[in-house]
Amino acid sequence: MTLKKIDINKIRSDFPILKREVNGKPLIYLDNGATTQKPQVVIDALVNYYTDMNANIHRGVHYLSQISTDAFEVTRRKVQGFIHASHDYEIILTKGTTESINLVAQCFGEAFISEGDEIIISAMEHHSNIVPWQMMCEAKGAVLKVIPMDSRGVLDIDIYKDMLSERTKMVAVTYVSNALGTINPVEEIIRYAHDYGAAVLLDAAQAIHHITIDVSKLDVDFLVFSGHKMYAPTGIGVLYGKEKWLNAMPPYQGGGDMIKDVTFAKTTYNELPFKFEAGTPNIEAGICLAYAIDYMTDIGLEAIKAYEDELLEYATLEILKIEGVRIIGTSEAKSSVLSFVVDGVHPYDIGVILDKLGIAVRTGHHCAQPVMDQLGIPGTVRASLAMYNTKEDIDIFIKGLQRAVDMLK
Ligand code: PLP
């Protein structure tokens, strides 16, 4: 297969924020793991929503309500196509990854978890794929187990296999680690869980804009991700769930839209997907998500991944030329994240100096405190890549980092 090269100049010109300066220097944005910037088509769609079509959805007979509803529902079908789900009603639009995981933990827990049942997560989860399961386990008397990882940030799949049993009801793991960049062997993880009848939730927050995901081929039970990490606005996210699970789960929240019929004596619930979508959603962000998906699809996820992989390889080689740098997360299968520490220097101090140079990176535990605890470090500096980053960005970052290290050592 020949990969389509991406037109980096065109892509950069699509993101207006990349033209701005920070602290008198051109912005070098390397905090894409936290959130990505937005292309002009998405910004235009947001403005257009309020300029031309603002109305509440699913409720009105009037024109604006109908066009807003149609646009919102286009997104549901767009997401369905993007992740290859069998039905559009298996796509629940939420606030984001965190809400999607909380929804599954609470509602799946209510329907399927009893005392002594087991939930498996991994050692490299974001807090949002730890805490909701802890809360559910506490409420239900269930047991939380953790797949260990080694010092490279690679999960021990043999131990995972041994952890599985008839008691295992859910395996919830990240596709790509936000702190380490590790791409986990999700096909294997799903297959082994299914041997025991356990459901699998994949946290795709750091994967969805880098890796082509086919939920039907993967046979995954739940997939969650956030719009804002894939070039769409904040406040919108996705929960994909297999129909058989979603239908058997109770609603998450009560309110408008999620009901079929309400009396003071009894309420009956709406069908999928509305059963899980109580209240007015983030309509404008929802509509914009379709534009972000189109934007990525037009460029091509395979081409984006190939480009980002090349960039990560380059950044990895360059950063290792700086004395005292240690990369955190050295799995062979990695995506778009370069996490590192520098001997004798606090990550925060590096972040502050880089910021003065117009370079945005993230420092700290990246909401993955157990990862830092296991590795015995307070945190890392994380440069995370997106399709609009360039080798020039990396060169400026490396030069800035060398300067910061020289100043701080
Ligand atoms: N999971 C992973 C792997 C993440 O990287 C993040 C955010 O950084 C989340 C979950 C939470 O996403 P959100 O804050 O958009 O709900």
mmCIF file with all atom_site columns, all heavy atoms in Angstrom, residues 33-34 96-99 126 128 174 176 178 203 205-206 226 228-229, ligand 1:
data_model
loop_
_atom_site.group_PDB
_atom_site.id
_atom_site.type_symbol
_atom_site.label_atom_id
_atom_site.label_alt_id
_atom_site.label_comp_id
_atom_site.label_asym_id
_atom_site.label_entity_id
_atom_site.label_seq_id
_atom_site.pdbx_PDB_ins_code
_atom_site.Cartn_x
_atom_site.Cartn_y
_atom_site.Cartn_z
_atom_site.occupancy
_atom_site.B_iso_or_equiv
_atom_site.pdbx_formal_charge
_atom_site.auth_seq_id
_atom_site.auth_comp_id
_atom_site.auth_asym_id
_atom_site.auth_atom_id
_atom_site.pdbx_PDB_model_num
ATOM   1   N N   . GLY A 1 33  ? -2.082  15.928 23.406 1.00 0.00 ? 33  GLY A N   1
ATOM   2   C CA  . GLY A 1 33  ? -2.684  14.870 24.215 1.00 0.00 ? 33  GLY A CA  1
ATOM   3   C C   . GLY A 1 33  ? -3.740  15.447 25.152 1.00 0.00 ? 33  GLY A C   1
ATOM   4   O O   . GLY A 1 33  ? -4.706  14.768 25.511 1.00 0.00 ? 33  GLY A O   1
ATOM   5   N N   . ALA A 1 34  ? -3.552  16.695 25.555 1.00 0.00 ? 34  ALA A N   1
ATOM   6   C CA  . ALA A 1 34  ? -4.527  17.342 26.444 1.00 0.00 ? 34  ALA A CA  1
ATOM   7   C C   . ALA A 1 34  ? -5.740  17.802 25.644 1.00 0.00 ? 34  ALA A C   1
ATOM   8   O O   . ALA A 1 34  ? -6.884  17.537 26.000 1.00 0.00 ? 34  ALA A O   1
ATOM   9   C CB  . ALA A 1 34  ? -3.884  18.525 27.164 1.00 0.00 ? 34  ALA A CB  1
ATOM   10  N N   . GLY A 1 96  ? -18.017 13.585 27.087 1.00 0.00 ? 96  GLY A N   1
ATOM   11  C CA  . GLY A 1 96  ? -16.629 13.232 26.785 1.00 0.00 ? 96  GLY A CA  1
ATOM   12  C C   . GLY A 1 96  ? -16.293 11.859 27.339 1.00 0.00 ? 96  GLY A C   1
ATOM   13  O O   . GLY A 1 96  ? -17.159 11.153 27.869 1.00 0.00 ? 96  GLY A O   1
ATOM   14  N N   . THR A 1 97  ? -15.031 11.512 27.221 1.00 0.00 ? 97  THR A N   1
ATOM   15  C CA  . THR A 1 97  ? -14.562 10.205 27.681 1.00 0.00 ? 97  THR A CA  1
ATOM   16  C C   . THR A 1 97  ? -14.941 9.959  29.140 1.00 0.00 ? 97  THR A C   1
ATOM   17  O O   . THR A 1 97  ? -15.430 8.885  29.494 1.00 0.00 ? 97  THR A O   1
ATOM   18  C CB  . THR A 1 97  ? -13.022 10.139 27.546 1.00 0.00 ? 97  THR A CB  1
ATOM   19  O OG1 . THR A 1 97  ? -12.679 10.464 26.203 1.00 0.00 ? 97  THR A OG1 1
ATOM   20  C CG2 . THR A 1 97  ? -12.478 8.782  27.894 1.00 0.00 ? 97  THR A CG2 1
ATOM   21  N N   . THR A 1 98  ? -14.702 10.952 29.978 1.00 0.00 ? 98  THR A N   1
ATOM   22  C CA  . THR A 1 98  ? -14.936 10.772 31.408 1.00 0.00 ? 98  THR A CA  1
ATOM   23  C C   . THR A 1 98  ? -16.399 10.427 31.670 1.00 0.00 ? 98  THR A C   1
ATOM   24  O O   . THR A 1 98  ? -16.703 9.488  32.416 1.00 0.00 ? 98  THR A O   1
ATOM   25  C CB  . THR A 1 98  ? -14.553 12.062 32.171 1.00 0.00 ? 98  THR A CB  1
ATOM   26  O OG1 . THR A 1 98  ? -13.181 12.336 31.891 1.00 0.00 ? 98  THR A OG1 1
ATOM   27  C CG2 . THR A 1 98  ? -14.756 11.920 33.658 1.00 0.00 ? 98  THR A CG2 1
ATOM   28  N N   . GLU A 1 99  ? -17.296 11.167 31.041 1.00 0.00 ? 99  GLU A N   1
ATOM   29  C CA  . GLU A 1 99  ? -18.711 10.877 31.268 1.00 0.00 ? 99  GLU A CA  1
ATOM   30  C C   . GLU A 1 99  ? -19.083 9.509  30.699 1.00 0.00 ? 99  GLU A C   1
ATOM   31  O O   . GLU A 1 99  ? -19.859 8.762  31.297 1.00 0.00 ? 99  GLU A O   1
ATOM   32  C CB  . GLU A 1 99  ? -19.625 11.946 30.671 1.00 0.00 ? 99  GLU A CB  1
ATOM   33  C CG  . GLU A 1 99  ? -21.056 11.682 31.077 1.00 0.00 ? 99  GLU A CG  1
ATOM   34  C CD  . GLU A 1 99  ? -22.054 12.723 30.602 1.00 0.00 ? 99  GLU A CD  1
ATOM   35  O OE1 . GLU A 1 99  ? -22.036 13.076 29.413 1.00 0.00 ? 99  GLU A OE1 1
ATOM   36  O OE2 . GLU A 1 99  ? -22.864 13.177 31.429 1.00 0.00 ? 99  GLU A OE2 1
ATOM   37  N N   . HIS A 1 126 ? -5.612  6.297  32.720 1.00 0.00 ? 126 HIS A N   1
ATOM   38  C CA  . HIS A 1 126 ? -5.927  7.670  33.127 1.00 0.00 ? 126 HIS A CA  1
ATOM   39  C C   . HIS A 1 126 ? -6.870  7.576  34.336 1.00 0.00 ? 126 HIS A C   1
ATOM   40  O O   . HIS A 1 126 ? -7.647  6.622  34.444 1.00 0.00 ? 126 HIS A O   1
ATOM   41  C CB  . HIS A 1 126 ? -6.641  8.336  31.940 1.00 0.00 ? 126 HIS A CB  1
ATOM   42  C CG  . HIS A 1 126 ? -6.906  9.803  32.092 1.00 0.00 ? 126 HIS A CG  1
ATOM   43  N ND1 . HIS A 1 126 ? -7.948  10.300 32.840 1.00 0.00 ? 126 HIS A ND1 1
ATOM   44  C CD2 . HIS A 1 126 ? -6.288  10.879 31.552 1.00 0.00 ? 126 HIS A CD2 1
ATOM   45  C CE1 . HIS A 1 126 ? -7.954  11.627 32.762 1.00 0.00 ? 126 HIS A CE1 1
ATOM   46  N NE2 . HIS A 1 126 ? -6.951  12.007 31.994 1.00 0.00 ? 126 HIS A NE2 1
ATOM   47  N N   . SER A 1 128 ? -9.550  8.761  34.891 1.00 0.00 ? 128 SER A N   1
ATOM   48  C CA  . SER A 1 128 ? -10.975 8.614  34.537 1.00 0.00 ? 128 SER A CA  1
ATOM   49  C C   . SER A 1 128 ? -11.320 7.171  34.160 1.00 0.00 ? 128 SER A C   1
ATOM   50  O O   . SER A 1 128 ? -12.502 6.843  34.037 1.00 0.00 ? 128 SER A O   1
ATOM   51  C CB  . SER A 1 128 ? -11.365 9.572  33.417 1.00 0.00 ? 128 SER A CB  1
ATOM   52  O OG  . SER A 1 128 ? -10.657 9.255  32.256 1.00 0.00 ? 128 SER A OG  1
ATOM   53  N N   . THR A 1 174 ? -6.990  1.181  28.362 1.00 0.00 ? 174 THR A N   1
ATOM   54  C CA  . THR A 1 174 ? -6.764  2.242  27.388 1.00 0.00 ? 174 THR A CA  1
ATOM   55  C C   . THR A 1 174 ? -6.160  1.654  26.108 1.00 0.00 ? 174 THR A C   1
ATOM   56  O O   . THR A 1 174 ? -5.364  0.707  26.166 1.00 0.00 ? 174 THR A O   1
ATOM   57  C CB  . THR A 1 174 ? -5.862  3.338  27.986 1.00 0.00 ? 174 THR A CB  1
ATOM   58  O OG1 . THR A 1 174 ? -5.942  4.485  27.145 1.00 0.00 ? 174 THR A OG1 1
ATOM   59  C CG2 . THR A 1 174 ? -4.408  2.910  28.116 1.00 0.00 ? 174 THR A CG2 1
ATOM   60  N N   . VAL A 1 176 ? -4.425  3.638  23.865 1.00 0.00 ? 176 VAL A N   1
ATOM   61  C CA  . VAL A 1 176 ? -3.107  4.293  23.856 1.00 0.00 ? 176 VAL A CA  1
ATOM   62  C C   . VAL A 1 176 ? -2.955  5.039  25.185 1.00 0.00 ? 176 VAL A C   1
ATOM   63  O O   . VAL A 1 176 ? -3.859  5.767  25.592 1.00 0.00 ? 176 VAL A O   1
ATOM   64  C CB  . VAL A 1 176 ? -2.996  5.300  22.690 1.00 0.00 ? 176 VAL A CB  1
ATOM   65  C CG1 . VAL A 1 176 ? -1.702  6.109  22.790 1.00 0.00 ? 176 VAL A CG1 1
ATOM   66  C CG2 . VAL A 1 176 ? -3.072  4.590  21.342 1.00 0.00 ? 176 VAL A CG2 1
ATOM   67  N N   . ASN A 1 178 ? -1.947  7.852  27.641 1.00 0.00 ? 178 ASN A N   1
ATOM   68  C CA  . ASN A 1 178 ? -1.685  9.289  27.499 1.00 0.00 ? 178 ASN A CA  1
ATOM   69  C C   . ASN A 1 178 ? -0.367  9.691  28.144 1.00 0.00 ? 178 ASN A C   1
ATOM   70  O O   . ASN A 1 178 ? 0.226   10.702 27.778 1.00 0.00 ? 178 ASN A O   1
ATOM   71  C CB  . ASN A 1 178 ? -2.828  10.111 28.111 1.00 0.00 ? 178 ASN A CB  1
ATOM   72  C CG  . ASN A 1 178 ? -2.898  9.975  29.605 1.00 0.00 ? 178 ASN A CG  1
ATOM   73  O OD1 . ASN A 1 178 ? -2.874  8.872  30.133 1.00 0.00 ? 178 ASN A OD1 1
ATOM   74  N ND2 . ASN A 1 178 ? -2.953  11.085 30.304 1.00 0.00 ? 178 ASN A ND2 1
ATOM   75  N N   . ASP A 1 203 ? -10.738 2.606  26.211 1.00 0.00 ? 203 ASP A N   1
ATOM   76  C CA  . ASP A 1 203 ? -10.626 4.056  26.301 1.00 0.00 ? 203 ASP A CA  1
ATOM   77  C C   . ASP A 1 203 ? -9.794  4.503  25.102 1.00 0.00 ? 203 ASP A C   1
ATOM   78  O O   . ASP A 1 203 ? -8.576  4.308  25.063 1.00 0.00 ? 203 ASP A O   1
ATOM   79  C CB  . ASP A 1 203 ? -9.941  4.419  27.630 1.00 0.00 ? 203 ASP A CB  1
ATOM   80  C CG  . ASP A 1 203 ? -9.654  5.909  27.742 1.00 0.00 ? 203 ASP A CG  1
ATOM   81  O OD1 . ASP A 1 203 ? -9.826  6.630  26.754 1.00 0.00 ? 203 ASP A OD1 1
ATOM   82  O OD2 . ASP A 1 203 ? -9.227  6.327  28.844 1.00 0.00 ? 203 ASP A OD2 1
ATOM   83  N N   . ALA A 1 205 ? -9.476  7.622  23.997 1.00 0.00 ? 205 ALA A N   1
ATOM   84  C CA  . ALA A 1 205 ? -9.268  9.081  24.014 1.00 0.00 ? 205 ALA A CA  1
ATOM   85  C C   . ALA A 1 205 ? -7.988  9.484  23.276 1.00 0.00 ? 205 ALA A C   1
ATOM   86  O O   . ALA A 1 205 ? -7.962  10.504 22.590 1.00 0.00 ? 205 ALA A O   1
ATOM   87  C CB  . ALA A 1 205 ? -9.223  9.582  25.460 1.00 0.00 ? 205 ALA A CB  1
ATOM   88  N N   . GLN A 1 206 ? -6.937  8.663  23.406 1.00 0.00 ? 206 GLN A N   1
ATOM   89  C CA  . GLN A 1 206 ? -5.665  9.018  22.760 1.00 0.00 ? 206 GLN A CA  1
ATOM   90  C C   . GLN A 1 206 ? -5.427  8.229  21.476 1.00 0.00 ? 206 GLN A C   1
ATOM   91  O O   . GLN A 1 206 ? -4.324  8.246  20.928 1.00 0.00 ? 206 GLN A O   1
ATOM   92  C CB  . GLN A 1 206 ? -4.491  8.759  23.723 1.00 0.00 ? 206 GLN A CB  1
ATOM   93  C CG  . GLN A 1 206 ? -4.523  9.602  24.981 1.00 0.00 ? 206 GLN A CG  1
ATOM   94  C CD  . GLN A 1 206 ? -4.312  11.101 24.718 1.00 0.00 ? 206 GLN A CD  1
ATOM   95  O OE1 . GLN A 1 206 ? -3.845  11.505 23.652 1.00 0.00 ? 206 GLN A OE1 1
ATOM   96  N NE2 . GLN A 1 206 ? -4.674  11.917 25.685 1.00 0.00 ? 206 GLN A NE2 1
ATOM   97  N N   . SER A 1 226 ? -13.300 11.426 23.340 1.00 0.00 ? 226 SER A N   1
ATOM   98  C CA  . SER A 1 226 ? -13.709 12.832 23.490 1.00 0.00 ? 226 SER A CA  1
ATOM   99  C C   . SER A 1 226 ? -13.538 13.582 22.178 1.00 0.00 ? 226 SER A C   1
ATOM   100 O O   . SER A 1 226 ? -12.507 13.422 21.505 1.00 0.00 ? 226 SER A O   1
ATOM   101 C CB  . SER A 1 226 ? -12.821 13.534 24.527 1.00 0.00 ? 226 SER A CB  1
ATOM   102 O OG  . SER A 1 226 ? -12.922 12.911 25.776 1.00 0.00 ? 226 SER A OG  1
ATOM   103 N N   . HIS A 1 228 ? -12.901 16.769 21.825 1.00 0.00 ? 228 HIS A N   1
ATOM   104 C CA  . HIS A 1 228 ? -11.894 17.841 21.851 1.00 0.00 ? 228 HIS A CA  1
ATOM   105 C C   . HIS A 1 228 ? -10.472 17.353 21.583 1.00 0.00 ? 228 HIS A C   1
ATOM   106 O O   . HIS A 1 228 ? -9.584  18.159 21.300 1.00 0.00 ? 228 HIS A O   1
ATOM   107 C CB  . HIS A 1 228 ? -11.960 18.615 23.179 1.00 0.00 ? 228 HIS A CB  1
ATOM   108 C CG  . HIS A 1 228 ? -11.445 17.854 24.361 1.00 0.00 ? 228 HIS A CG  1
ATOM   109 N ND1 . HIS A 1 228 ? -10.153 17.985 24.804 1.00 0.00 ? 228 HIS A ND1 1
ATOM   110 C CD2 . HIS A 1 228 ? -12.036 16.957 25.181 1.00 0.00 ? 228 HIS A CD2 1
ATOM   111 C CE1 . HIS A 1 228 ? -9.997  17.199 25.865 1.00 0.00 ? 228 HIS A CE1 1
ATOM   112 N NE2 . HIS A 1 228 ? -11.120 16.573 26.109 1.00 0.00 ? 228 HIS A NE2 1
ATOM   113 N N   . LYS A 1 229 ? -10.270 16.050 21.681 1.00 0.00 ? 229 LYS A N   1
ATOM   114 C CA  . LYS A 1 229 ? -8.931  15.520 21.365 1.00 0.00 ? 229 LYS A CA  1
ATOM   115 C C   . LYS A 1 229 ? -8.831  15.116 19.900 1.00 0.00 ? 229 LYS A C   1
ATOM   116 O O   . LYS A 1 229 ? -7.811  14.612 19.449 1.00 0.00 ? 229 LYS A O   1
ATOM   117 C CB  . LYS A 1 229 ? -8.614  14.317 22.255 1.00 0.00 ? 229 LYS A CB  1
ATOM   118 C CG  . LYS A 1 229 ? -8.470  14.692 23.739 1.00 0.00 ? 229 LYS A CG  1
ATOM   119 C CD  . LYS A 1 229 ? -8.066  13.487 24.551 1.00 0.00 ? 229 LYS A CD  1
ATOM   120 C CE  . LYS A 1 229 ? -8.280  13.658 26.031 1.00 0.00 ? 229 LYS A CE  1
ATOM   121 N NZ  . LYS A 1 229 ? -7.359  14.585 26.689 1.00 0.00 ? 229 LYS A NZ  1
HETATM 122 N N1  . PLP B 2 .   ? -8.534  8.764  28.990 1.00 0.00 ? 1   PLP B N1  1
HETATM 123 C C1  . PLP B 2 .   ? -7.372  9.141  28.454 1.00 0.00 ? 1   PLP B C1  1
HETATM 124 C C2  . PLP B 2 .   ? -6.405  8.103  27.969 1.00 0.00 ? 1   PLP B C2  1
HETATM 125 C C3  . PLP B 2 .   ? -7.071  10.494 28.353 1.00 0.00 ? 1   PLP B C3  1
HETATM 126 O O1  . PLP B 2 .   ? -5.905  10.883 27.829 1.00 0.00 ? 1   PLP B O1  1
HETATM 127 C C4  . PLP B 2 .   ? -8.001  11.446 28.831 1.00 0.00 ? 1   PLP B C4  1
HETATM 128 C C5  . PLP B 2 .   ? -7.692  12.885 28.797 1.00 0.00 ? 1   PLP B C5  1
HETATM 129 O O2  . PLP B 2 .   ? -6.564  13.295 28.775 1.00 0.00 ? 1   PLP B O2  1
HETATM 130 C C6  . PLP B 2 .   ? -9.204  10.997 29.362 1.00 0.00 ? 1   PLP B C6  1
HETATM 131 C C7  . PLP B 2 .   ? -9.430  9.651  29.419 1.00 0.00 ? 1   PLP B C7  1
HETATM 132 C C8  . PLP B 2 .   ? -10.252 11.948 29.848 1.00 0.00 ? 1   PLP B C8  1
HETATM 133 O O3  . PLP B 2 .   ? -10.778 12.674 28.784 1.00 0.00 ? 1   PLP B O3  1
HETATM 134 P P1  . PLP B 2 .   ? -11.792 13.876 29.020 1.00 0.00 ? 1   PLP B P1  1
HETATM 135 O O4  . PLP B 2 .   ? -11.154 14.773 30.031 1.00 0.00 ? 1   PLP B O4  1
HETATM 136 O O5  . PLP B 2 .   ? -11.930 14.498 27.669 1.00 0.00 ? 1   PLP B O5  1
HETATM 137 O O6  . PLP B 2 .   ? -13.065 13.280 29.530 1.00 0.00 ? 1   PLP B O6  1
#
